[in-house]
């Protein structure tokens, strides 16, 4: 009997145009449990000092300094804290009530609300910008309701900054050579990774005009996709990871995450 290579690719399979991750359902209880473990005073300190880390240049380049900003799916609200420390009028919304409570307990008064991102109790044309970081990929049926609802609450020409896991060129190359055939029986759907082409199309169908895009967290891609790295001595592996950020193509195109900056233009497609 042929031996099955279980978990070689991290419980992932290619389905249609997407790379699909299987693990555990990313529901409210899952996130409450994940976030509770590390939301401490020390965790919030750099954000209270205004640190935006990976997103510093992106946020400062594309977010309106004057205007209301919503982080849709803010989780522990760390970027709400950091953006407000930088002078932005940022609000946060998430369905994990416990995480929002802990943020307020540690940081103090914050404009946070608990709600469903597919059915926001917010008036049309309310926000000048919406941020959504690693949220919409967790809906098994697809991200379209999230995209349309964020479109609805944005003002005309308002900005959407949204990130999803990236089915990037390296992952597509590996898929074409037979990767991502793990046995995922017994596991729950966790998230999708989208190609740039498909995610652009979804945004355009929802009424957005693409402004630009970025990829980030390329070291996650390398550690997931280059299995040979795991067999190298740790000092060599660490050196490769550090040097990889100086390779323009790797850092610009092989990110684990895809960030798209888009502008609200038309009404969503009726299709």
């Amino acid at each position: 009997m042929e031996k099955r290579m279980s978990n070689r690719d991290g419980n992932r399979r290619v389905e249609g145009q997407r790379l699909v991750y299987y693990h555990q359902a990313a529901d409210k209880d899952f996130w409450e449990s994940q976030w509770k473990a590390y939301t401490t005073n020390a965790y919030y300190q750099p954000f209270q000092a205004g640190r935006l880390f990976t997103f510093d240049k992106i946020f400062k380049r594309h977010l309106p300094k004057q205007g209301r900003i919503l982080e849709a799916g803010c989780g522990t609200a760390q970027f709400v804290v950091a953006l407000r420390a930088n002078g932005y009028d940022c609000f946060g919304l998430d369905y994990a009530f416990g995480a929002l409570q802990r943020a307020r307990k540690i940081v103090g008064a914050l404009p946070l609300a608990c709600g469903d991102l597919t059915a926001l109790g917010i008036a049309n044309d309310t926000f000048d910008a919406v941020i959504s970081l690693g949220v919409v990929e967790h809906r098994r049926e697809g991200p379209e309701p999230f995209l349309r609802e964020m479109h609805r609450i944005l003002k005309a020409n308002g900005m959407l900054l949204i990130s999803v896991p990236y089915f990037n060129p390296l992952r597509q190359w590996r898929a074409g050579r037979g990767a991502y055939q793990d046995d995922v029986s017994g596991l729950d759907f966790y998230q999708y990774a989208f190609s740039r082409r498909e995610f652009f199309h979804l945004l355009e169908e929802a009424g957005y005009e693409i402004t630009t895009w970025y990829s980030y967290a390329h070291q996650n891609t390398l550690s997931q996709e280059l299995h040979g790295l795991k067999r190298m001595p740790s000092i060599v592996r660490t050196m490769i990871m550090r040097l990889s950020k100086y390779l323009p193509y790797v850092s610009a195109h092989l990110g684990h995450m895809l960030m798209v900056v888009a502008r609200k233009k038309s009404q969503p497609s009726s299709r």
Side-chain angles (χ1 to χ4, degrees):
M1 183 177 179
E2 182 181 353
K3 186 178 180 180
R4 185 167 57 205
M5 294 194 336
S6 177
N7 299 326
R8 174 175 171 79
D9 282 311
N11 297 321
R12 292 177 291 171
R13 296 186 64 84
V14 176
E15 298 176 10
Q17 300 181 65
R18 300 174 190 171
L19 181 59
V20 189
Y21 290 62
Y22 287 88
H23 172 51
Q24 180 178 345
D27 57 18
K28 180 165 56 177
D29 291 339
F30 171 82
W31 291 118
E32 291 280 25
S33 175
Q34 293 289 307
W35 292 326
K36 187 176 182 179
Y38 61 83
T39 47
T40 62
N41 286 310
Y43 168 76
Y44 282 104
Q45 284 174 2
F47 300 107
Q48 289 175 289
R51 294 286 303 280
L52 293 165
F53 296 97
T54 298
F55 306 110
D56 187 82
K57 291 182 180 178
I58 298 173
F59 284 175
K60 290 177 180 178
R61 183 175 299 149
H62 298 289
L63 289 176
K65 194 67 177 182
Q66 304 298 323
R68 304 178 78 194
I69 299 167
L70 174 70
E71 185 181 359
C74 65
T76 60
Q78 74 273 29
F79 290 114
V80 175
V81 173
L83 284 167
R84 294 185 70 84
N86 279 279
Y88 292 91
D89 189 16
C90 187
F91 301 76
L93 189 144
D94 201 279
Y95 68 173
F97 182 66
L100 303 182
Q101 279 189 314
R102 285 191 297 278
R104 282 203 181 106
K105 183 177 180 180
I106 295 170
V107 178
L110 287 170
L112 305 175
C114 189
D116 180 356
L117 298 183
T118 65
L120 296 168
I122 297 172
N124 294 353
D125 310 316
T126 296
F127 288 96
D128 297 274
V130 172
I131 302 166
S132 179
L133 305 174
V135 177
V136 305
E137 67 270 17
H138 294 294
R139 184 175 185 268
R140 179 54 152 155
E141 297 80 9
E144 290 86 348
F146 293 104
L147 303 180
R148 291 173 184 266
E149 189 69 346
M150 288 186 278
H151 183 280
R152 183 185 66 78
I153 65 171
L154 273 172
K155 296 179 181 178
N157 294 312
M159 301 303 298
L160 173 67
L161 280 66
I162 184 167
S163 70
V164 291
Y166 189 15
F167 194 11
N168 61 42
L170 176 57
R171 288 171 172 160
Q172 292 181 45
W173 181 85
R174 292 197 66 234
R177 284 152 182 80
Y180 314 120
Q181 297 185 35
D182 286 348
D183 178 3
V184 297
S185 55
L187 298 175
D188 294 321
F189 167 80
Y190 179 66
Q191 67 181 12
Y192 292 117
F194 297 89
S195 69
R196 192 167 74 246
R197 179 177 181 179
E198 185 195 9
F199 200 63
F200 280 11
H201 176 71
L202 289 169
L203 287 166
E204 289 163 353
E205 286 286 293
Y208 299 94
E209 177 183 70
I210 309 302
T211 299
T212 190
W213 64 276
Y214 305 87
S215 78
Y216 63 93
H218 73 274
Q219 292 179 336
N220 288 18
T221 294
L222 299 183
S223 64
Q224 287 181 9
E225 311 307 335
L226 302 182
H227 296 307
L229 287 174
K230 298 173 185 176
R231 297 190 291 270
M232 294 179 179
S234 60
I235 189 170
V236 176
R237 188 166 60 246
T238 300
M239 183 180 300
I240 290 172
M241 288 296 189
R242 287 178 178 173
L243 291 174
S244 67
K245 67 181 179 180
Y246 299 108
L247 300 174
Y249 182 84
V250 172
S251 58
H253 294 275
L254 300 186
H256 171 62
M257 298 293 288
L258 171 69
M259 166 75 78
V260 183
V261 180
R263 187 183 304 275
K264 175 177 176 176
K265 295 301 290 185
S266 61
Q267 289 303 311
S269 170
S270 59
R271 290 182 294 176

